[in-house]
Amino acid sequence: MSEPLLEIKDVRVEFEVRDGIIRAVDGVSYTVNRGETIGVIGESGCGKSITAKAAMQMLPKPGKITQGEILYYRRDKFDPSRPTQLVNITKLDPDGELIRQIRGGEFAMIFQEPMSSLTPVYTTGTLISEALFLHRKIPVTVGDQMSQKIMQYRPVTKEEAREISIEMLQKVGIPKPHERVDAYPHQLSGGQRQRVMIAIALSCQPFMLIADEPTTALDVSIEAQILDLMRELQESVDMSIMFITHNLGVVAEMAKEIVVMYMGKQVESAETVSLFYEPKHPYTRALLQAIPKIGRRSGERLASIKGMVPDPFHLPPGCVFHPRCPSFMPGKCDRIVPTWKEAEPGHWVRCLLYEDV
Amino acid sequence: MEEPQVTETGPEPQPQAQKQELSQAYWSLVWWKFKKNKLAIVGAILIFLFYFVCGLFAEFFSPYLVNYQSDHLESRPQPIVFKTPEGKFTLRPHVYGTVAELDLVQRKRTWTVDKTQIYPISFFVKGQPYKLLGLIPMNIHLFGINAEKYPEATVFLFGTDRLGRDLFSRIIYGGRLSLLLGLIGQALTLVLGMVMGAISGYYGGAVDILVQRLTEFVGAFPDIPLFMALAAAIPVTWSPILVYFMLTLILVFIRWGGLARQVRGLILSLREREYVLAAKSAGASDWRIMSRHLLPGTMSHVIVIATLMIPGMILSETALSWLGLGLRPPLTSWGVLLQEVSAVRVIRFAPWMLIPVPFIILAVLAFNMLGDGLRDAMDPYGGR
Amino acid sequence: MAERIATKSENIILDVKGMKKYFPIQKGLLRQVVGYVKAVDDVSFFLRQGETLGLVGESGCGKTTVSRTIIRLYEPTAGTAYFQTSLFSADGKPEMVNIFDLDKEQMKRIRREVAMIFQDPINSLNPRMSIFDIVSEPMVIHGVSAGPEMEETVVTLLERVGLRKEHIRRYPHEFSGGQRQRIGIARALSMNPKIIFCDEPVSALDVSIQAQTLNLLQDLQADFDLSYVFVAHDLSVVQHISNRVAVMYVGKIAELAYSDALYNDPLHPYTEALMSAVPKPDPKYQSERLIMQGDVADPSNPPPGCYFHPRCRYAVDKCRTETPEFRELKPEHFVACHRAEELKLKGV
């Protein structure tokens, strides 16, 4: 059994706006294991990014976590022998000392649009160094006591930061890192900017990388490069990745486990192969059928999901998917809210087809 | 596992009603956000009052005509009191009378407040005749002293100037020219700036370079020397009204460039929007693209900029008139009123002549508050 | 080439030859031209009545510029684009007219027969116009309809694309992305066009909405005998909807063929690498991925020879110096690669 790093338990996030309350995330639970990749997929507005932001205590205003807990099994970054500490992130002050250490230092995040996520007035070197000064410490041996070394940690110096920056740029595959360390974001191509984002994120050796649609804005050939890079880096540094995307192809390649979300609720979660080959929830099935697949002969019509995503202020009663569901059972699906059930070992689903009612 | 919850199948939600509400969403959202901004509301009310009182009905709201010269030269302001001549408290406002004294330092007669005389202020009182809105002959003023009962009494709430003219009335009248100049001038600036900016942004190329350089040239011109030259060029024989319009035109000429640049920038960004391409690909003419697709898109932004520019217009008039380059008596504007305070002697012996200053500040602040509120509400820089 | 067109001319509706579009790069106060972005550089293709031609490629390859230049949103630098129309012929018979030769007035008439669907469902509809105004705008511009008759047409169009009559007085922001795209489609249909240029029409939509929109486009094509030029970066979407596909790279067509031929037996290394790079929605799919190194070439300063050679795993000396010719290697399978004959490339 893998060791958990982050457990999201029955989390609900609400936004109070003029026209009422939007429940952006409603009762979502999943676990990110150490060193593994979990894929979170869903269409826009399904709450996949909001859940990740909640885990970083970075909810945009006026979002609030109103239920559930997010448990972080925190290991000491510099001394793995110390016991794991259990931190409930929902209880932390969003501006507090601890969450700021976790953010960036232990959980790092990369975003969809690499141009707007890099401050244009700083060089790549400065951007990486900034993260290093905040979160990275250099071990120093201060003495020997029997067989044990006594270690202390000091912040990185400017020269070291520059060296590490160059090293990081090299690691993420930027050509001529010695020159590029002094380049400004606008002098880089889109793919290179995303590489720099990854370099910044990884420079502090985080335990978890939250990748929010990291390749959506990139071309296919660059996307392939970045995905390859992420997999390579993950193997070498033993880091968990929470991969948020709407692209089923990307998630099939990257994730070990997948969570499918629809209108703020998770509808299905399983190991990747099981989810793609034996999808249980009608929504997952429909999604898989709705994408045109390369290599499959064209001509036939795509199976589409009828209707539209409902208005978040007027969610349908019962199962939120029932108005669009091909397996809609009148009298049941529109009245009864399905529960989160383990249909098969390791394969969870929220659908009345798998409940006796 | 836990029992599945059964939800109440209540009445169907009414998406229709909500959609209906969204129909005017943009402007209703603007109004909703604007309403929440108390300062902006205060600004809007103040501006409305300014234009209502000064702009439209100055004659009615002022107790005296603007150039009526009483024989009370440099009379001190007469305070309002709420007591009868018998010394009893009353809700009806009264004023103290004034009495002439011989000032040995200045060697002239001055008027100071005499607390022994108390006169009641009457409302809707008959006074000097005027034409309401320039059309309807009237002689009713909002307040004043009943001249038949108290022929010797005066009501100079803010005192009088060297020629014995009532400062309160003159501030109200002065506001008319100053505020209207702000409005008319800004409207002209808006038209000129939008036309030039739109042409420059839409056609680009040589036209754009020409307009751009022109705005830079105009913007780089030193204002004061230009004004002195232009003011000197205005013939003395011109009627004051003509001078007033010339001044407005000069201000417009100096200020259109900034707006043109802003509009140009907006047009440049809108021009690449796909809906503009869609219209073009459907065969729409330049005029149609400009009037239906580009200019409406700049409106919210332009309204905000224009509102925030009006105070500058008003202040320019004030400054120029104060320098003697703008409006001249017998016209009365806030700048002209302040010009009379340019001597130290006046500040020393008739400090009440500075009372127009707070009114100018208030008007400027009101416009800024309204403009800021509009900007936040329309949020032309981001958001929607 | 000339013979081919002669033999198949009866169903060719658009024939583009040697089209170039260079954007000048201007610098300095007087905006001197210091260079050109060769957005489209010598592109030739044709489109048959009722078929869909997919234009696929990475960003900056010029695929959008191709369609915008053909409908003269941009003025072409060189080339011809013959379009089959009977608008200008005296006897009402269709003839081939070079769009690039038309004057403003003639161009306006041609615009009834070529329409466009745009990518961005937010930006492609004027937020200050109602749905009625948006959909009816082409009819108003061309003065073909007015009053209740026009309203009826708009309602019919809206219903045809799956919207409802009562939507007519609403504004774009009240609709979801998929609905807005439908409005854009209704607008494109309003003049009863022959060709619709679809510029990334589904790339901004969610998966479930994407499928609906693609199906709608296919239905409309069948109903109105439309021809599509379908521009997209998503290879699987293009394969799904297109009869023939052109792969573009830095302003040039690298390969053009029937989509089965192109996807199963690619002749250009770029096509092969591009298809290999697409993430497959199948966790069991095992294949050696061909990672293209480096970035897309800069169209203002492309490398000499074949533009793709710095990223090509098969490049030889010839590729670095000589520009490959765009030729018909197999029937209806065009490719621009020196080594197309000898390479055994892998499809999907």
Side-chain angles (χ1 to χ4, degrees), chain B residues 51-256:
Chain B
Y51 279 97
F52 187 76
V53 172
C54 305
L56 292 176
F57 303 109
E59 293 88 347
F60 173 71
F61 284 101
S62 55
Y64 297 98
L65 291 188
V66 59
N67 283 330
Y68 166 71
Q69 300 182 357
S70 69
D71 49 8
H72 289 52
L73 308 183
E74 292 199 345
S75 165
R76 283 183 178 278
Q78 293 170 256
I80 293 175
V81 286
F82 291 95
K83 59 182 180 185
T84 57
E86 293 79 40
K88 274 193 244 156
F89 174 78
T90 168
L91 277 176
R92 184 173 180 182
H94 289 61
V95 285
Y96 287 127
T98 50
V99 64
E101 276 178 4
L102 214 55
D103 184 329
L104 294 174
V105 181
Q106 286 191 77
R107 292 189 199 161
K108 60 180 252 195
R109 259 187 346 166
T110 59
W111 295 82
T112 51
V113 174
D114 175 10
K115 293 202 174 174
T116 59
Q117 310 175 40
I118 294 179
Y119 301 105
I121 292 178
S122 313
F123 291 94
F124 301 103
V125 68
K126 272 191 193 143
Q128 296 159 325
Y130 60 92
K131 279 184 177 166
L132 191 69
L133 299 170
L135 297 170
I136 310 153
M138 264 178 77
N139 60 1
I140 305 288
H141 293 258
L142 177 67
F143 68 95
I145 296 286
N146 191 329
E148 288 163 16
K149 260 175 150 176
Y150 309 100
E152 77 288 2
T154 55
V155 54
F156 300 134
L157 295 181
F158 292 165
T160 60
D161 64 7
R162 269 183 313 150
L163 301 175
R165 294 175 296 195
D166 175 32
L167 190 59
F168 182 84
S169 303
R170 287 176 65 76
I171 287 175
I172 290 182
Y173 273 97
R176 167 181 287 173
L177 284 193
S178 292
L179 293 168
L180 279 186
L181 186 134
L183 211 61
I184 296 170
Q186 193 52 47
L188 290 174
T189 311
L190 201 66
V191 172
L192 189 64
M194 276 185 84
V195 168
M196 296 299 266
I199 289 173
S200 169
Y202 185 68
Y203 288 103
V207 183
D208 185 27
I209 296 179
L210 199 75
V211 175
Q212 284 260 75
R213 297 296 95 84
L214 193 64
T215 61
E216 278 159 20
F217 177 73
V218 170
F221 232 91
D223 296 11
I224 302 292
L226 177 70
F227 265 110
M228 296 182 108
L230 289 171
I234 296 177
V236 196
T237 50
W238 280 18
S239 76
I241 294 297
L242 212 54
V243 172
Y244 177 72
F245 278 110
M246 272 312 292
L247 180 72
T248 313
L249 286 181
I250 293 168
L251 282 174
V252 169
F253 174 71
I254 284 196
R255 300 171 65 92
W256 66 271

Side-chain angles (χ1 to χ4, degrees), chain C residues 14 16 43-48 50-56 66 70 195-198 221 226-232 238-239 241-248 253 255-259 332 334:
Chain C
L14 177 72
V16 176
V43 159
S44 306
F45 62 88
F46 58 87
L47 178 72
R48 292 200 182 88
E51 81 167 347
T52 302
L53 176 73
L55 272 184
V56 68
V66 166
I70 293 172
I195 302 183
I196 298 184
F197 290 87
C198 309
Q221 179 166 43
L226 294 168
S227 312
Y228 289 146
V229 173
F230 193 96
V231 175
V238 168
Q239 182 189 22
I241 198 153
S242 308
N243 301 90
R244 294 185 304 131
V245 175
V247 180
M248 287 191 71
I253 296 184
E255 186 169 358
L256 194 167
Y258 276 98
S259 63
E332 294 262 339
F334 299 82

Side-chain angles (χ1 to χ4, degrees), chain A residues 229-260:
Chain A
L229 172 72
M230 284 177 73
R231 263 189 306 232
E232 245 171 60
L233 291 172
Q234 186 184 23
E235 275 166 30
S236 63
V237 300
D238 186 38
M239 162 183 75
S240 313
I241 299 180
M242 189 195 287
F243 204 106
I244 300 163
T245 180
H246 68 278
N247 187 323
L248 291 159
V250 170
V251 86
E253 292 204 355
M254 294 297 290
K256 184 164 181 283
E257 249 189 285
I258 291 176
V259 177
V260 185

Side-chain angles (χ1 to χ4, degrees), chain C residues 140-174:
Chain C
V140 173
I141 289 169
H142 293 281
V144 292
S145 182
E149 185 200 341
M150 184 160 81
E151 184 152 340
E152 218 169 89
T153 318
V154 172
V155 170
T156 317
L157 283 167
L158 288 180
E159 282 169 352
R160 183 64 197 83
V161 298
L163 294 168
R164 289 198 308 275
K165 193 181 168 182
E166 58 266 30
H167 289 144
I168 197 165
R169 297 279 164 230
R170 297 205 187 137
Y171 285 83
H173 67 261
E174 298 168 56

Side-chain angles (χ1 to χ4, degrees), chain A residues 18-19 311 313-315 317-318 334-337 339-341 348 352 355 357, chain B residues 1-9 12-15 18 21-22 28-29 32:
Chain A
R18 178 166 71 121
D19 298 321
D311 174 3
F313 294 108
H314 301 99
L315 288 179
D334 50 357
R335 297 190 60 227
I336 305 166
V337 177
T339 52
W340 187 232
K341 275 201 154 179
W348 292 71
L352 292 175
E355 284 184 54
V357 281
Chain B
M1 277 274 118
E2 37 184 311
E3 280 290 296
Q5 298 162 254
V6 177
T7 45
E8 295 295 317
T9 30
E12 272 286 297
Q14 300 284 320
Q18 198 215 346
E21 186 214 327
L22 277 170
S28 82
L29 199 71
W32 177 75

Side-chain angles (χ1 to χ4, degrees), chain A residues 84-122:
Chain A
T84 307
Q85 209 187 335
L86 196 61
V87 180
N88 185 352
I89 290 182
T90 50
K91 293 279 185 293
L92 296 181
D93 169 16
D95 302 313
E97 177 65 25
L98 184 55
I99 191 70
R100 279 191 285 133
Q101 271 180 30
I102 294 175
R103 233 185 258 155
E106 296 164 35
F107 299 171
M109 199 158 184
I110 53 177
F111 304 94
Q112 174 174 348
E113 195 15 84
M115 189 64 210
S116 49
S117 350
L118 294 173
T119 319
V121 294
Y122 296 119

